[in-house]
Amino acid sequence: MGLRFRKSINLGGGFKINLSKSGIGYSWGGKGYRVTKKAKGGFRSTLSIPGTGISYTYDTHKHKSKSHGNGGANHNAQHPSVPVVDNNTYDTQAIENSAATGIVSEGLEEMIASATKSLQYNNWATIGLIASVLLGFGFPLFFLASVGFLVWKIYIKKNGIINLDYTIDSDQQALIDERMKPLLKIATSKKVWRIMETSKVIDTKYSSGANNLIKRVACQAKTVSPFPFVTNSQVVTFKSGTETLMFLPDKFFIIQGTKIGALNYEDLTTTVKGTRFIESDSVPSDAKVVDHTWKYVNKSGGPDKRFSDNKKIPVCLYGKMRIQSNSGVNSVVMFSNIDIE
């Protein structure tokens, strides 16, 4: 499988990316200086005097670090959870990623720097456009500045693109499909959420019998890449708030506003399993209802008849994908369609 990295705007040098059976190799730089990350590990730096044929090359060895492989699917049901966190809880744990700037696999730094510049320029253009328009209502001269910011924004959106062009060999296609098909299936779920917080329950009577409570937020799942990336290959993104998780055939991206991180899959652990969830909202049409409980339960698990508003609540079997890395990735995506295979 080969990947050609092409930039439509000069944001810091030329890039080349090569994927082979021996690994992923990157190189960047210009006349007189080029740095290459070798597929088998380590870096090679080349200094030269253009037009003379004189050059100097030196290698640095790969720094070894612990890596993880992708986990397989496991549909074993867990203790049911409900989506509301209240004062009937303890041991609350936040599920969040570290700053994207610290989540970068070796060799991807220059690519991330270029993409970050495009995001920053676009953000500055947006801020300038909004500010100049608002000021223009009091001082019409600022409307001229708003035209300039608008032109700049259009230019960045058109020319600040990071193109990722994949060429996949036939013997690599099966490996790519094995990685991407479950993600594409998750993206087709009627409902996708990010789990942001978990808590243990003090008294399960008031939590519909759940041992754990969670805080979740709706997540937008798409199969197109966000700005500044454009690709001709399969891509899956999960966006919640200002944070986007992006999966490509050979790497994982995390975008936090104008900050970007990227990891090779060898530096990422992904596990998928089933989870029983007490659904207090509407049940998605592709979800499996496997049981029922009540708003208030007694010790035997039945309805507590002392409460007049004790309604029946469905228990759904959802899928849950956990994504982690030693560098600070810590995300949980829950999805309504458990049949991802």
Side-chain angles (χ1 to χ4, degrees):
M1 176 175 65
L3 167 64
R4 184 173 72 257
F5 176 67
R6 186 177 73 253
K7 295 179 347 77
S8 299
I9 186 172
N10 185 7
L11 296 175
F15 289 80
K16 295 180 180 179
I17 300 179
N18 298 308
L19 275 68
S20 64
K21 291 182 179 179
S22 58
I24 306 175
Y26 303 87
S27 68
W28 58 90
K31 292 183 179 180
Y33 183 67
R34 177 162 289 274
V35 179
T36 301
K37 178 186 178 297
K38 296 176 288 186
K40 293 184 178 181
F43 290 86
R44 172 170 295 165
S45 299
T46 302
L47 299 172
S48 63
I49 301 176
T52 66
I54 300 173
S55 65
Y56 171 70
T57 300
Y58 62 95
D59 292 348
T60 55
H61 297 292
K62 177 182 178 181
H63 298 289
K64 294 184 179 180
S65 61
K66 185 177 180 181
S67 63
H68 302 274
N70 289 336
N74 176 4
H75 297 311
N76 293 330
Q78 305 296 306
H79 293 299
S81 302
V82 294
V84 179
V85 178
D86 56 23
N87 58 8
N88 186 29
T89 60
Y90 68 101
D91 193 22
T92 298
Q93 302 288 331
I95 302 176
E96 57 187 3
N97 300 300
S98 299
T101 51
I103 305 174
V104 181
S105 288
E106 189 178 50
L108 300 180
E109 297 88 351
E110 291 295 321
M111 181 193 299
I112 298 309
S114 292
T116 299
K117 285 182 181 179
S118 289
L119 284 178
Q120 289 175 339
Y121 292 165
N122 183 62
N123 188 54
W124 295 341
T126 300
I127 293 173
L129 178 61
I130 294 173
S132 59
V133 168
L134 293 176
L135 290 170
F137 288 107
F139 306 94
L141 190 61
F142 277 98
F143 284 126
L144 294 177
S146 66
V147 173
F149 282 117
L150 178 59
V151 171
W152 186 30
K153 184 175 178 64
I154 293 172
Y155 177 82
I156 291 298
K157 294 289 282 188
K158 181 179 179 180
N159 297 296
I161 296 299
I162 306 298
N163 290 289
L164 301 174
D165 296 328
Y166 284 84
T167 301
I168 303 175
D169 296 337
S170 58
D171 61 343
Q172 296 291 310
Q173 189 63 57
L175 298 176
I176 297 302
D177 289 344
E178 183 180 358
R179 174 179 293 152
M180 296 301 297
K181 281 185 177 179
L183 293 164
L184 291 165
K185 186 68 175 180
I186 291 172
T188 65
S189 294
K190 297 297 183 182
K191 289 287 186 179
V192 181
W193 305 267
R194 283 278 301 277
I195 298 179
M196 311 304 295
E197 194 174 86
T198 65
S199 302
K200 295 180 180 179
V201 170
I202 297 173
D203 189 345
T204 59
K205 175 188 296 185
Y206 302 101
S207 64
S208 303
N211 297 299
N212 301 286
L213 301 179
I214 73 168
K215 178 181 178 181
R216 67 179 182 179
V217 296
C219 186
Q220 295 179 344
K222 297 183 178 180
T223 55
V224 294
S225 54
F227 179 81
F229 299 102
V230 172
T231 180
N232 64 335
S233 187
Q234 295 173 324
V235 58
V236 176
T237 66
F238 301 104
K239 185 179 188 301
S240 56
T242 60
E243 187 171 80
T244 299
L245 309 179
M246 181 170 71
F247 296 84
L248 285 164
D250 63 319
K251 59 181 64 68
F252 164 82
F253 284 84
I254 178 169
I255 304 172
Q256 298 169 339
T258 60
K259 307 298 183 182
I260 306 176
L263 292 177
N264 296 318
Y265 283 115
E266 64 182 12
D267 297 323
L268 196 70
T269 300
T270 303
T271 56
V272 181
K273 59 186 177 182
T275 182
R276 290 167 60 91
F277 189 86
I278 299 171
E279 186 56 85
S280 58
D281 293 334
S282 59
V283 176
S285 59
D286 59 350
K288 289 185 177 180
V289 177
V290 295
D291 204 351
H292 289 85
T293 185
W294 287 264
K295 184 177 179 180
Y296 305 102
V297 298
N298 55 32
K299 292 182 178 180
S300 64
D304 192 326
K305 297 181 179 179
R306 294 176 298 173
F307 296 89
S308 59
D309 62 338
N310 199 359
K311 63 179 181 179
K312 198 173 185 179
I313 302 175
V315 178
C316 298
L317 183 62
Y318 289 156
K320 186 167 67 173
M321 176 175 64
R322 183 145 206 163
I323 312 144
Q324 295 177 298
S325 77
N326 288 341
S327 56
V329 174
N330 183 30
S331 296
V332 178
V333 175
M334 187 167 68
F335 50 96
S336 57
N337 185 4
I338 189 65
D339 296 323
I340 66 170
E341 296 184 357

